[in-house]
Amino acid sequence: NEGNEYFKEKDYKRAVISYTEGLKKGSGDPELNAVLYTNRGAAQFYLGNYRSALNDAIQAKKLKPTHLKAIIRGALCHMELKNFSEAIQWCEEGLQIDSKEKKLVEMRAKADKLKGKDPEGTLLELRTDFSIHKQCRAVMCIDLLGERNIKLVLEPSNEEEEISDGLAEISLDGFHSDNATGAKVHLDADGNLHWPVLFLYPEHEQTDFIAAFHENCRFIDHLMVMFAELPPWDLERKYLPSNLELYFEDEERAEMYKLNQEHTLLQVLQHERYFVKAGTPTVLAFVKHSPFSKKYFSGKKVHRL
């Protein structure tokens, strides 16, 4: 009930924490637990934590396979993550329960259309969409970055896309994630920027993606939500907010910078050696004093912010 109140107030971070506390009580009622997972997934979704939201939808569906809300949420997450084939599967599963569910019917058609588009056709459509107004918005956004002393590395695929706000593939040590594709930095009504931010966990080759990270929000605020419950790949149960260290890499100098979790995103982006590539700030997370981190940082120069 507490989580529901926070959700109504659009305080999604506290809603996530409340639903998590409910799950920790260990109720033996699968119906109640399915609701808790579904509701927490909805709150995670509105925070832009699509991977966490999807994990909750999966758990809810395991507890109650006919839980339509969980299936719709899972399909929505796959759409946001550009997993169109998986979105179609979830939609079809839901339509077997209710063949007239409007959201699933529309999402199924959209996913099928996006899955079948050829890259050239998509590119042509994007070029058509870049009207003068959109170009002006992009220029204004670049001006705002300049005012904030944020250094943006533009990597257009060709000359015609120089003012595009599309995102390139992001890679690190042989693994990559295209989850950020489609998310863009945007300006809210109060003049604040919201960024798509990618968290990389090199030890496990995993990622987390936050679609809209408020520039004045601290990293610890997101870590508390992201790791309110340990991820399924953390078998050693060591990825706790208090046990994590965050870094960014200066690729030009091959040096690492350790962040303070209390820092806001804006404070980090304003660092003289931080360069935003592909429109998506990226940070790396390691467990303190772990054998992997010691090996990873061996021979590398590390600075503290």
Side-chain angles (χ1 to χ4, degrees), residues 189-215:
D190 297 320
N192 299 305
L193 292 176
H194 297 250
W195 291 85
V197 176
L198 190 65
F199 286 77
L200 304 175
Y201 311 107
E203 182 175 2
H204 295 278
E205 298 189 355
Q206 295 288 334
T207 66
D208 267 320
F209 177 63
I210 298 175
F213 194 132
H214 191 293
E215 63 181 350

Side-chain angles (χ1 to χ4, degrees), residues 30-48:
E31 184 88 17
L32 174 59
N33 287 334
V35 171
L36 284 167
Y37 275 118
T38 301
N39 288 5
R40 189 176 70 175
Q44 293 277 27
F45 185 89
Y46 284 112
L47 286 169

Side-chain angles (χ1 to χ4, degrees), residues 118-129:
D118 63 272
E120 190 61 35
T122 305
L123 184 59
L124 180 61
E125 181 178 309
L126 286 172
R127 288 175 184 157
T128 304
D129 286 344

Side-chain angles (χ1 to χ4, degrees), residues 148-193:
R148 287 164 166 77
N149 195 30
I150 296 174
K151 295 163 287 298
L152 186 67
V153 179
L154 298 176
E155 298 178 329
S157 58
N158 59 50
E159 292 180 2
E160 293 183 20
E161 293 180 81
E162 285 183 357
I163 312 182
S164 160
D165 48 359
L167 303 178
E169 182 178 74
I170 299 165
S171 63
L172 174 73
D173 292 349
F175 71 95
H176 68 275
S177 170
D178 58 2
N179 292 345
T181 303
K184 307 170 183 67
V185 58
H186 67 272
L187 189 69
D188 65 21
D190 297 320
N192 299 305
L193 292 176

